[in-house]
């Protein structure tokens, strides 16, 4: 268990206190202390390792199964002896411009908080330090931990949305730049980038959008194991979440518009290419037609035996081709 337990501490009257190293004894001491509670943080426990925690804290088997499977949507579940919340932190990789989502489960019950983290994103050490520096918040008990964790994750949503906004502006510049009228290979690369970007936005929306209902419920009254005075804090988290989701939905709409504009640009370029091909084909058809006529094997043809027939025909073909070139050039086909 030491490799799985990231941190384990008792908090009494808003301050961290020393306690037994064994979490079973620490929980018993926290419950004897009245206003104290135990916060134990786990990172990717196995089923056998988590059985020790779930049996000691009396966690519901369905919640335990969800915590171990780590493929859940953000949600809030109320059980007889605990409150179970699933959060999905998002991680932005600037090197590859990709967004990935991890999972964080929070159990709240009688004088305890258990956090189970899957993935390397959103470590909770900074959240602990922030809470330990604010004793007035920690006095609200396990609810303070749920608020701080939710607030940190949602604030990071806003940061990631800002990074995606920067990437979108760069992509928009590439699509609408004058140099973007390159060949089909460049167009295919740009379309691939737009589609990949939409996948990143979709990953973000899967993590953030389902969290709106749990946050709205926590911001209301009557949720077991949640401190009555915590509603304004969760309303603030809900407001930040709304801001992040609206920003990402705006990015998704802009991406759809950019993709439509890019496809329209490709259509215009293809039309330009077809007009150019048609113009050159028309100019090539004139000398081909004249040469084809004079290449027929007939004995009696007009001007066949004139001295100046050959230069005249060459001049005629050149003049017709020049006339067509000027006409297509004037109409913007060439």
């Amino acid at each position: 268990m030491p490799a799985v337990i990231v941190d384990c501490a008792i908090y009494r009257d808003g301050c961290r206190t020393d306690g037994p190293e064994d979490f079973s004894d620490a929980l018993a001491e926290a419950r004897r202390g009245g206003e104290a509670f135990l916060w134990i943080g786990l990172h990717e426990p196995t089923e056998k390792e988590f059985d020790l925690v779930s049996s000691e804290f009396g966690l519901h088997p369905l919640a335990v199964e969800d915590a171990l499977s780590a493929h859940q949507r953000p949600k809030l579940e109320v059980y007889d002896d605990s409150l179970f919340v699933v959060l999905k932190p998002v991680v932005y990789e600037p090197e590859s411009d990709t967004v990935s989502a991890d999972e964080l489960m929070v159990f709240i019950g009688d004088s305890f908080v258990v956090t189970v983290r899957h993935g390397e994103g959103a470590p909770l050490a900074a959240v602990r330090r922030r809470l330990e520096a604010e004793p007035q918040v920690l006095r609200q008990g396990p609810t303070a931990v749920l608020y701080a964790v939710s607030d940190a994750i949602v604030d990071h949503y806003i940061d990631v949305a800002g990074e995606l906004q920067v990437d979108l502006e760069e992509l928009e510049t590439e699509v609408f730049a004058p140099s973007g009228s390159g060949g089909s290979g460049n167009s295919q690369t740009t379309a691939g980038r737009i589609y990949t970007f939409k996948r990143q936005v979709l990953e973000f929306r899967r993590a953030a959008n389902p969290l709106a209902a749990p946050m709205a419920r926590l911001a209301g009254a009557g949720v077991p194991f949640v401190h009555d005075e915590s509603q304004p804090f969760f309303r603030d988290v809900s407001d930040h979440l709304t801001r992040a989701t609206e920003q990402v939905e705006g990015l998704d709409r802009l991406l759809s518009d950019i993709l439509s504009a890019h496809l329209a640009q490709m259509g215009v370029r293809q039309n330009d290419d077809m007009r150019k091909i048609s113009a050159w084909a028309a100019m090539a058809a004139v000398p081909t037609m004249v040469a084809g006529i004079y290449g027929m094997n007939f004995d009696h043809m007009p001007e066949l035996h004139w001295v100046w027939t050959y230069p005249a025909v060459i001049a005629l073909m050149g003049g017709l081709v020049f006339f067509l070139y000027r006409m297509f050039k004037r109409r913007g086909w060439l």
Side-chain angles (χ1 to χ4, degrees):
M1 290 295 291
V4 176
I5 298 178
V6 179
D7 200 350
C8 180
I10 298 176
Y11 295 89
R12 180 176 289 106
D13 194 28
C15 299
R16 179 168 181 153
T17 60
D18 296 330
E21 294 184 359
D22 183 79
F23 66 84
S24 301
D25 296 337
L27 178 61
E29 180 176 332
R31 286 175 173 171
R32 286 195 302 267
E35 297 298 325
F37 70 94
L38 173 68
W39 180 5
I40 177 173
L42 307 176
H43 181 237
E44 297 183 351
T46 64
E47 182 177 356
K48 182 178 180 180
E49 292 168 338
F50 198 58
D51 281 344
L52 300 174
V53 178
S54 61
S55 60
E56 183 66 32
F57 289 88
L59 305 180
H60 196 278
L62 292 177
V64 172
E65 181 181 353
D66 290 343
L68 291 173
S69 62
H71 292 288
Q72 306 296 318
R73 299 173 73 250
K75 63 179 180 178
L76 169 65
E77 298 286 351
V78 179
Y79 297 100
D80 293 336
D81 298 324
S82 63
L83 183 72
F84 178 58
V85 182
V86 178
L87 305 168
K88 292 185 75 70
V90 294
V91 180
Y92 176 80
E93 297 293 341
E95 293 81 8
S96 56
D97 295 335
T98 57
V99 174
S100 59
D102 296 326
E103 292 195 21
L104 178 64
M105 288 76 170
V106 182
F107 294 88
I108 292 181
D110 179 20
S111 303
F112 72 84
V113 179
V114 177
T115 55
V116 182
R117 184 165 58 91
H118 292 270
E120 299 300 325
L124 298 181
V127 177
R128 277 185 184 265
R129 290 193 297 268
R130 170 188 163 191
L131 274 176
E132 291 170 0
E134 299 177 355
Q136 70 279 7
V137 178
L138 263 178
R139 289 190 182 97
Q140 294 187 9
T143 306
V145 177
L146 178 59
Y147 156 70
V149 171
S150 304
D151 185 56
I153 290 175
V154 172
D155 284 347
H156 192 59
Y157 283 171
I158 297 176
D159 296 337
V160 173
E163 296 287 348
L164 291 176
Q165 180 68 43
V166 174
D167 291 343
L168 178 65
E169 292 173 356
E170 295 176 356
L171 182 61
E172 191 175 21
T173 301
E174 177 183 331
V175 171
F176 295 105
S179 59
S181 57
S184 59
N186 182 57
S187 298
Q188 292 174 358
T189 301
T190 302
R193 284 193 60 193
I194 296 175
Y195 178 76
T196 302
F197 203 117
K198 286 185 72 69
R199 293 288 301 177
Q200 308 310 316
V201 172
L202 177 61
E203 185 73 17
F204 191 109
R205 294 180 66 181
R206 285 176 177 171
N209 286 6
L211 188 58
M215 286 298 106
R217 188 176 177 185
L218 289 170
V223 181
F225 307 104
V226 175
H227 199 281
D228 294 336
E229 298 179 1
S230 65
Q231 297 175 20
F233 296 94
F234 286 109
R235 279 198 296 268
D236 181 67
V237 176
S238 182
D239 290 341
H240 290 181
L241 178 63
T242 301
R243 173 184 166 188
T245 54
E246 287 178 349
Q247 188 172 355
V248 173
E249 287 173 0
L251 292 177
D252 189 54
R253 288 192 296 268
L254 281 175
L255 274 172
S256 298
D257 294 340
I258 291 174
L259 181 58
S260 299
H262 177 64
L263 294 177
Q265 284 182 338
M266 291 179 61
V268 170
R269 293 169 193 164
Q270 290 175 352
N271 289 337
D272 290 340
D273 293 339
M274 289 301 300
R275 287 193 300 180
K276 291 179 181 180
I277 293 172
S278 300
W280 286 109
M283 288 188 292
V286 170
T288 301
M289 180 188 65
V290 176
I293 292 173
Y294 279 92
M296 292 186 291
N297 297 321
F298 294 114
D299 290 334
H300 304 287
M301 292 183 65
E303 303 90 18
L304 189 60
H305 300 289
W306 289 6
V307 176
W308 297 101
T309 298
Y310 179 75
V313 171
I314 296 297
L316 175 63
M317 290 190 294
L320 290 174
V321 171
F322 181 74
F323 170 76
L324 291 175
Y325 176 80
R326 290 297 301 272
M327 183 181 66
F328 290 138
K329 190 75 172 177
R330 185 167 57 249
R331 295 186 178 182
W333 285 36
L334 294 174

